[in-house]
Amino acid sequence: MSRAAILTCKNLTIGYQNQKTITREISKGLNLQLNRGELVCLVGPNGSGKSTLIRTLTGIQPPLSGEVLLLDKKIADHRSEEKAKTMSVVLTTPVQAGYMTAFDIVALGRFPHTNWVGRLTEDDTEIILSAIASVGAGDLTYRFIHEMSDGERQKVMIARALAQEPVLMVLDEPTAFLDIPHKIETMRILRSVARSTSKAILLSTHDLNLAIRSADRLWIIDQHGALITGIPEDLVLSGIFGSAFGIHGASFDPVRGEFTIPIEKKGTFALRARKSVERIWTWYALERIGYLPADGERGDITVTIRKVDGKPVWEIRTDTVARECSSLAELIETISANDREG
Amino acid sequence: MKPGEIGMRERFRSLTAGPALALCIERFRKMTFGIPLALCVLGVLFVLDIMLGSVNIPLDSLLAIPTGGEVKETWATIFWYWRLPKAITAVFAGAALALSGLLMQTFFRNPLADPFILGISSGASVGVALVMMSAGFCGIGAVFAGLGFLGDVSIAFASVLGSLAVLLLILLISAKIQSSTTILVLGIMVSYISGAIVTILLQFADQSSMHSYSFWTFGSFSGVTWSQLPVLAFFLTAGFGVSFFLTKSLNALLLGEQYAVSMGMDYKKIKNAIIVNTAVMAGVVTAFCGPIGFLGVAVPHFCRSLFVTADHRILVPACVIVGGIIALATDIISHLPGTDLVLPLNAITALFGAPVVIWVIVRGTRFGRGVTT
């Protein structure tokens, strides 16, 4: 075993056991490893067992067989305080507490380190403030948690997990309630924490695109509980996403690294333009209304983008129509009108 | 601590010195200004509670009594046998109820939880109803009435037994059940069953035992004698002590059970400590003073907004003091100074407490704890 390993699973079977007789295996034969300074994203379709795996790895739920080793010691054998100094968590359930400032919440992270009344030493205070600063929440320090937005609250909860000073942080869907800029911000924070403090970070997420762009490694669980690991780019090239998430009505685009809405083909287009942002978004717009790029020089429709006085002008040509449009809306309207007539 | 992290910490030391100082000053103000001020109010009300009543004792005579000065004999008697034990009881009972309310609200993460949410008072009322009714039914009522003091003791004893029975039941169930919400619902169900039993018992009761039962439900700080006071003080002081030991875990529980466990809290141990501590405090108060409502639910909310914090290191002492203050205030009002009338204590606590609860719910939608689940 490599010396950098913080968490290791050996031949792990996860699932539920009800009334001692009924056993529901979700995934078996798992051999996984989490290393220092590594950000790992756990992805998988709904109901694939992401939460069960997280619960088993954090010791909330016992494995059906096999073992989870935290720093070379079985997770169940750790004393609760010792475990808390090794691993901290950020849960999905939103925290609802009144009259608590961000400082108070983050200070709770010092729980396993303080004395019986929870008195904060000068060192504790510094650790708390630097945890808050490292997630970029310095201006929130003395604000009440119930006055914060979801994104701000998530930062505070991550700071709390940091203040616990673990070597491993486990986050259950930390980006779930956030808008896209805040999702990206959260991932950026986590990645920089993993790099700068050489902690291991494991998080589960539904944001595949974000996971592919930011994780050092991905753990993918498919619908049947099979787990595939690897670095994101290898996994994209192997085409595993399409089969792991195989649902009708969504297809994985290996170029963009995300799921796209399948196109109902209406025709083909030829696009004549220089490499530019306008070219990309004209391409997307045509795809959206059901036109795919033609193989040769000629498609069912031909669109040329020209610049007139610095502004783009779209020239459309079909068998029956030829006109110039000043916006993509006009272009799409022209094509749709043409479709209805033809 | 890694060398790299120390560097980062030192970099932030200069940046964060300002707000950290502000925070220290704020904490300092709460502990050194707020708490002593509350203690002063408690002292004033304690004296007022002794002074005021159907017979008002002037302050100068009051001060002369303990020092053995010359005062009217009736005043001295009222002071020693009536007012002083009553005021001491009020402080202890109010503090215990407020504290157990705080423990329950934090444990269940429910702003409407009170000391009796586990069914403690309903258990006590079944015990008391059983003693009173059986006494009336078997014709021993006369014996009790004649015994006076022993009658009180047997009521207190029955009340403790009733609370204990419910407590054991809750503990047995909670050993199997982890979820605090389930325990909450069970407590409420136990209350309904107890209520039903009391109603049935009342059907068979005669007029006088019915009267004495309803008198018990009014609640009062006046029934505690000097011989009973040490018992009350011993259990409640122990309860206060245990609560101080629980502050750290109570703070962790503010984030919920799962976070508390992930931070290294022994949930099972703390759960049992909270339940037993609440049951003992609420059970003992109910035994000696009857089921006193609203104090337990209202005072913790009052303290949270007064001290603008959810930190139990401040809330625990604050609840002890403010609980005592509110208990003394309601006791003074219920005795309608200057008249011979005494209003039921529970009527006064409800008149004060219900608006507080309404205020908490209404304003909770915008800020504060609100009604959380």
Side-chain angles (χ1 to χ4, degrees):
Chain A
M1 189 189 341
S2 131
R3 286 187 61 191
I6 289 169
L7 189 88
T8 319
C9 322
K10 285 182 184 162
N11 210 10
L12 185 73
T13 302
I14 59 169
Y16 293 92
Q17 191 158 36
N18 292 336
Q19 286 117 37
K20 283 165 192 148
T21 49
I22 310 155
T23 316
R24 203 167 89 79
E25 273 181 16
I26 286 175
S27 189
K28 61 180 181 182
L30 301 177
N31 289 296
L32 298 163
Q33 190 176 317
L34 271 173
N35 300 323
R36 273 183 196 281
E38 194 177 55
L39 178 69
V40 174
C41 288
L42 172 62
V43 293
N46 282 334
S48 57
K50 289 195 297 289
S51 300
T52 314
L53 181 59
I54 292 252
R55 289 167 62 85
T56 313
L57 293 183
T58 50
I60 295 172
Q61 184 178 332
L64 291 179
S65 71
E67 54 191 26
V68 180
L69 298 173
L70 183 62
L71 293 179
D72 299 341
K73 191 171 166 186
K74 267 196 192 178
I75 200 152
D77 295 344
H78 279 274
R79 282 188 304 111
S80 54
E81 204 181 88
E82 186 188 356
K83 193 173 119 189
K85 285 179 182 173
T86 317
M87 176 168 69
S88 67
V89 298
V90 175
L91 304 166
T92 16
T93 46
V95 166
Q96 289 182 310
Y99 296 123
M100 289 190 94
T101 60
F103 184 92
D104 293 333
I105 299 262
V106 178
L108 290 176
R110 299 304 296 160
F111 188 95
H113 303 272
T114 53
N115 68 352
W116 65 272
V117 269
R119 212 181 72 83
L120 298 172
T121 63
E122 213 170 295
D123 267 0
D124 288 322
T125 312
E126 271 177 38
I127 292 165
I128 293 161
L129 291 172
S130 81
I132 294 173
S134 64
V135 298
D139 51 335
L140 303 175
T141 312
Y142 304 106
R143 271 184 49 203
F144 285 117
I145 188 109
H146 60 255
E147 297 166 349
M148 291 180 197
S149 70
D150 287 337
E152 293 171 331
R153 210 172 295 179
Q154 194 61 270
K155 280 188 196 172
V156 173
M157 294 318 288
I158 292 171
R160 190 211 61 81
L162 272 175
Q164 210 170 315
E165 293 198 304
V167 286
L168 166 65
M169 274 170 67
V170 179
L171 303 95
D172 196 2
E173 302 197 11
T175 56
F177 302 111
L178 308 181
D179 58 23
I180 288 172
H182 281 98
K183 280 179 205 277
I184 293 169
E185 164 84 345
T186 305
M187 290 302 262
R188 187 194 59 77
I189 291 167
L190 290 172
R191 200 167 61 172
S192 85
V193 164
R195 297 278 148 80
S196 64
T197 61
S198 73
K199 294 184 200 313
I201 298 183
L202 171 67
L203 63 95
S204 66
T205 179
H206 282 293
D207 296 299
L208 199 56
N209 186 281
L210 203 58
I212 290 173
R213 296 283 150 85
S214 46
D216 293 312
R217 269 195 302 148
L218 288 182
W219 294 359
I220 306 172
I221 305 191
D222 71 10
Q223 285 140 320
H224 312 293
L227 201 136
I228 304 115
T229 68
I231 73 160
E233 294 77 10
D234 274 346
L235 293 172
V236 171
L237 291 178
S238 74
I240 196 74
F241 288 98
S243 59
F245 287 81
I247 321 165
H248 289 293
S251 61
F252 188 75
D253 181 340
V255 176
R256 294 188 212 174
E258 64 188 16
F259 279 88
T260 52
I261 302 167
I263 300 161
E264 286 170 40
K265 192 177 169 183
K266 283 187 185 158
T268 58
F269 68 84
L271 184 58
R272 289 174 194 157
R274 287 202 197 140
K275 215 172 182 186
S276 64
V277 183
E278 284 86 6
R279 184 179 191 273
I280 295 169
W281 285 98
T282 308
W283 188 297
Y284 290 167
L286 292 170
E287 274 190 352
R288 181 160 63 82
I289 58 167
Y291 283 84
L292 293 175
D295 284 335
E297 278 290 293
R298 284 190 58 84
D300 297 337
I301 56 175
T302 307
V303 177
T304 313
I305 308 175
R306 286 187 292 116
K307 284 273 171 87
V308 178
D309 299 337
K311 285 182 181 169
V313 172
W314 288 267
E315 202 183 275
I316 166 135
R317 233 175 250 284
T318 71
D319 296 340
T320 51
V321 183
R323 66 178 284 194
E324 281 192 353
C325 309
S326 60
S327 71
L328 282 172
E330 209 182 321
L331 177 74
I332 286 173
E333 180 51 38
T334 311
I335 297 169
S336 308
N338 187 45
D339 285 347
R340 282 196 293 274
E341 284 161 21
Chain B
M1 174 81 25
K2 296 220 122 37
E5 283 175 74
I6 292 169
M8 196 162 78
R9 273 164 55 192
E10 266 164 3
R11 210 165 352 118
F12 288 119
R13 192 204 290 267
S14 54
L15 285 175
T16 50
L21 191 71
L23 183 89
C24 286
I25 293 170
E26 197 196 302
R27 294 273 141 116
F28 185 73
R29 211 184 52 222
K30 273 175 201 159
M31 289 306 283
T32 55
F33 186 72
I35 300 272
L37 186 75
L39 270 175
C40 292
V41 175
L42 182 74
V44 170
L45 281 174
F46 188 82
V47 175
L48 278 177
D49 191 42
I50 295 173
M51 279 167 64
L52 304 174
S54 55
V55 175
N56 290 341
I57 308 174
L59 189 61
D60 50 344
S61 317
L62 188 71
L63 295 174
I65 296 170
T67 51
E70 289 266 316
V71 281
K72 268 207 256 177
E73 205 177 309
T74 46
W75 285 358
T77 313
I78 289 173
F79 175 81
W80 285 116
Y81 293 99
W82 184 246
R83 298 275 171 86
L84 188 59
K86 185 191 72 168
I88 295 174
T89 306
V91 173
F92 269 105
L97 289 174
L99 207 46
S100 24
L102 176 70
L103 293 187
M104 289 294 97
Q105 286 172 7
T106 300
F107 178 66
F108 290 120
R109 301 180 76 204
N110 187 321
L112 292 179
D114 72 359
F116 307 125
I117 200 90
L118 295 171
I120 306 296
S121 79
S122 17
S125 52
V126 172
V128 169
L130 264 176
V131 167
M132 285 177 175
M133 304 314 158
S134 65
F137 196 63
C138 311
I140 344 171
V143 183
F144 272 123
L147 286 175
F149 164 72
L150 272 182
D152 284 347
V153 167
S154 69
I155 285 169
F157 190 64
S159 165
V160 168
L161 272 186
S163 323
L164 267 180
V166 172
L167 167 66
L168 284 179
L169 187 72
I170 297 282
L171 271 183
L172 264 177
I173 297 167
S174 73
K176 303 232 174 205
I177 291 165
Q178 283 291 324
S179 154
S180 58
T181 317
T182 316
I183 301 174
L184 181 81
V185 175
L186 284 171
I188 294 169
M189 289 306 122
V190 169
S191 302
Y192 277 122
I193 296 171
S194 315
I197 295 174
V198 170
T199 313
I200 293 169
L201 283 173
L202 285 176
Q203 290 298 311
F204 299 101
D206 58 32
Q207 203 77 41
S208 76
S209 37
M210 241 160 116
H211 183 79
S212 45
Y213 177 78
S214 67
F215 191 75
W216 178 78
T217 60
F218 286 167
S220 163
F221 297 126
S222 309
V224 181
T225 62
W226 279 112
S227 54
Q228 295 166 342
L229 204 51
V231 182
L232 181 89
F234 172 78
F235 280 109
L236 297 189
T237 311
F240 300 161
V242 173
S243 306
F244 276 100
F245 270 95
L246 286 172
T247 48
K248 185 182 173 182
S249 299
L250 287 169
N251 279 341
L253 278 171
L254 286 174
L255 294 184
E257 202 175 305
Q258 281 186 308
Y259 271 118
V261 172
S262 84
M263 290 189 278
M265 193 189 89
D266 186 343
Y267 183 71
K268 227 173 197 169
K269 200 173 84 185
I270 297 296
K271 177 181 75 177
N272 286 340
I274 290 176
I275 291 179
V276 172
N277 197 34
T278 303
V280 167
M281 286 197 289
V284 168
V285 172
T286 310
F288 290 103
C289 308
I292 295 167
F294 279 109
L295 259 179
V297 65
V299 173
H301 289 300
F302 200 52
C303 289
R304 272 186 212 106
S305 25
L306 213 57
F307 289 85
V308 204
T309 188
D311 187 347
H312 288 81
R313 280 173 295 165
I314 293 168
L315 283 182
V316 166
C319 275
V320 168
I321 299 166
V322 177
I325 290 175
I326 304 295
L328 286 172
T330 48
D331 186 55
I332 294 171
I333 298 168
S334 79
H335 280 87
L336 297 171
T339 69
D340 287 338
L341 286 169
V342 179
L343 293 176
L345 191 63
N346 264 328
I348 307 299
T349 57
L351 276 180
F352 163 81
V356 170
V357 175
I358 291 170
W359 169 67
V360 165
I361 295 171
V362 170
R363 124 211 140 104
T365 50
R366 280 194 298 139
F367 19 71
R369 281 178 80 85
V371 181
T372 57
T373 45

